[in-house]
């Protein structure tokens, strides 16, 4: 009986955490910011940034890490949401350095435009296995990248990456993981073939690193998505079925 009650309590906790709430004024203003590129705002309908930030609990004054920020879509929104009393670190992996050099780009210049545009944004460029931040942070966020942490030999270093994230968070700090959902039971191999993630494996890996799952959201759930389809097929990236998980550092 006690076990049953514990399961029900845990289920209720996750359900409450996933309950929809209207985005705060700071988040709404950040998404509406006229300084955001048109290429970013054109993606809002599918990426639902306001709803995601509200679920994550991002507020003014927080220190946030955007892990593998790409072009800075979420970094820009974070910067405006946390405001001048908060700070955002855009964390770029040095694992892509060689590819960038071959493309004629300077890997050390990643995120330069973000630092120039936002006084409260800093850039970290280094190995994921050595993940570390200059100060303890409130929240680490990674969107559509968790599966990449398994590829190109990354599965071997994943425990070190997750430990670095855990240790960089303040006690009770939050780790948000968003990724393209693979079919249930698809296994680890789809991270490289489909660029999707088996949700159950993601939960197991993050919890094994000392985190507790405290919330799940259906904000990006799309039941009509073919989970056996490659993410990068035409028009697929922002329209996939995605899981949204909130973990707390124990």
């Amino acid at each position: 009986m006690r076990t049953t009650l514990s399961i029900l309590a845990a289920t209720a906790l996750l359900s409450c955490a996933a309950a929809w709430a209207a985005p705060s004024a700071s988040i709404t203003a950040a998404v509406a910011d006229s300084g955001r590129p048109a290429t970013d705002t054109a993606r809002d309908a599918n990426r639902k940034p306001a709803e995601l930030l509200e679920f994550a609990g991002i507020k003014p004054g927080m220190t946030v890490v955007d892990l593998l920020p790409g072009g800075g879509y979420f970094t820009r929104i974070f910067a405006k949401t946390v405001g001048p009393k908060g700070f955002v670190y855009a964390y770029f992996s040095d694992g892509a350095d060689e590819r960038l050099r071959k493309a004629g780009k300077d890997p050390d210049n990643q995120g330069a435009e973000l630092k120039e545009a936002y006084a409260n944004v800093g850039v970290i460029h280094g190995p994921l296995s050595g993940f570390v931040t200059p100060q303890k942070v409130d929240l680490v966020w990674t969107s559509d990248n968790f599966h990449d942490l398994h590829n190109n030999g990354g599965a071997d270093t994943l425990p070190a990456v997750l430990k670095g994230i855990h240790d960089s968070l303040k006690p009770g700090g939050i780790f948000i993981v968003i990724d393209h959902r693979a079919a249930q039971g698809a296994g680890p191999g789809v991270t490289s073939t489909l660029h999707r993630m088996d949700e159950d494996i993601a939960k197991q890996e993050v919890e094994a690193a000392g985190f507790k799952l405290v919330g799940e959201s259906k904000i990006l759930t799309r039941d009509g998505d073919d989970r056996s389809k490659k993410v990068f097929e035409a028009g697929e990236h922002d329209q996939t079925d995605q899981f949204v998980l909130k973990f707390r550092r124990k």
Side-chain angles (χ1 to χ4, degrees):
M1 181 66 174
R2 189 171 297 172
T3 301
T4 302
L5 289 174
S6 297
I7 294 172
L8 290 173
T11 302
L13 173 63
L14 293 177
S15 298
C16 289
W20 186 87
S24 68
S26 58
I27 292 173
T28 300
V31 174
D33 177 40
S34 61
R36 296 180 62 213
T39 50
D40 280 8
T41 58
R43 304 176 70 184
D44 289 351
N46 286 323
R47 301 200 81 175
K48 303 184 184 302
E51 293 91 334
L52 289 174
L53 265 70
E54 184 63 35
F55 170 74
I58 298 178
K59 297 178 173 62
M62 291 179 70
T63 304
V64 174
V65 178
D66 191 0
L67 175 58
L68 302 176
Y73 175 93
F74 281 111
T75 311
R76 295 182 180 92
I77 300 174
F78 294 156
K80 285 293 184 177
T81 300
V82 303
K85 293 185 178 180
F87 202 81
V88 179
Y89 293 103
Y91 200 109
F92 292 90
S93 167
D94 64 1
D97 286 5
E98 187 61 30
R99 175 172 54 82
L100 290 172
R101 291 190 186 99
K102 288 181 179 179
K105 299 178 181 179
D106 180 5
D108 292 325
N109 201 40
Q110 293 178 94
E113 74 285 357
L114 296 171
K115 288 178 63 177
E116 183 176 348
Y118 302 95
N120 63 343
V121 169
V123 172
I124 300 174
H125 176 226
L128 290 176
S129 59
F131 183 98
V132 66
T133 52
Q135 59 181 305
K136 296 289 186 180
V137 302
D138 297 293
L139 183 144
V140 176
W141 169 294
T142 190
S143 175
D144 298 340
N145 290 305
F146 194 81
H147 68 275
D148 287 322
L149 301 181
H150 295 73
N151 298 335
N152 300 316
D156 294 334
T157 59
L158 182 61
V161 178
L162 293 175
K163 183 180 187 303
I165 293 170
H166 178 276
D167 294 350
S168 292
L169 284 164
K170 299 175 183 177
I174 297 297
F175 181 30
I176 297 292
V177 179
I178 303 168
D179 213 343
H180 308 285
R181 185 183 275 119
Q184 188 172 18
V190 295
T191 61
S192 59
T193 58
L194 302 181
H195 295 277
R196 293 178 182 267
M197 185 70 212
D198 186 319
E199 182 177 358
D200 290 338
I201 293 177
K203 291 177 180 177
Q204 292 165 9
E205 291 172 336
V206 177
E207 289 186 312
F211 290 89
K212 180 180 180 180
L213 179 65
V214 294
E216 303 181 54
S217 173
K218 294 186 177 181
I219 294 169
L220 297 179
T221 296
R222 298 180 176 98
D223 294 330
D225 179 36
D226 181 353
R227 298 175 191 170
S228 66
K229 187 177 182 180
K230 291 182 180 180
V231 166
F232 293 105
E233 292 182 16
E236 185 71 6
H237 189 277
D238 285 352
Q239 300 177 48
T240 57
D241 178 31
Q242 299 180 31
F243 58 79
V244 181
L245 306 175
K246 178 190 286 189
F247 299 91
R248 178 175 289 120
R249 174 184 168 170
K250 293 180 182 178

